[in-house]
Amino acid sequence: MSKKFVPYANEADVLTIGGLTIENRLDRITIDGDVDLTLDRKGLEHARALHQLLGAALAKLEGQKDLPAALPPPAVKKVANPFD
């Protein structure tokens, strides 16, 4: 990972690994897309980046004292289409 991505640190960071988009939030990390972990240097690079990201997320989660059983889904706000 070229940029320092600290899981659960803010509502702004976005990281891309292959075709994955990882969005940081204060209460969740959203991972969307896909990535091929090919048997080559690019695949190794992607695997290392994912390993680093997931290791940091796991450390943060394991370091919390009182994790709830589950968070509610994020609130979704519908806005009017400005092109209608």
Side-chain angles (χ1 to χ4, degrees):
M1 289 187 298
S2 58
K3 177 182 164 186
K4 185 68 174 168
F5 186 98
V6 179
Y8 310 104
N10 58 53
E11 296 278 335
D13 289 344
V14 177
L15 177 66
T16 301
I17 299 173
L20 293 179
T21 301
I22 299 101
E23 298 176 8
N24 213 4
R25 301 284 184 259
L26 295 174
D27 65 348
R28 69 192 75 233
I29 296 169
T30 302
I31 302 173
D32 186 51
D34 60 73
V35 64
D36 290 324
L37 299 179
T38 51
L39 191 58
D40 56 14
R41 289 186 185 144
K42 190 52 119 176
L44 177 60
E45 179 185 324
H46 289 157
R48 284 182 173 154
L50 284 169
H51 184 264
Q52 182 180 356
L53 170 70
L54 294 175
L58 184 60
K60 177 70 174 180
L61 289 164
E62 289 178 336
Q64 301 300 300
K65 292 186 187 269
D66 296 318
L67 284 175
L71 289 178
V76 176
K77 182 179 175 185
K78 188 171 185 176
V79 296
N81 184 341
F83 302 104
D84 284 341

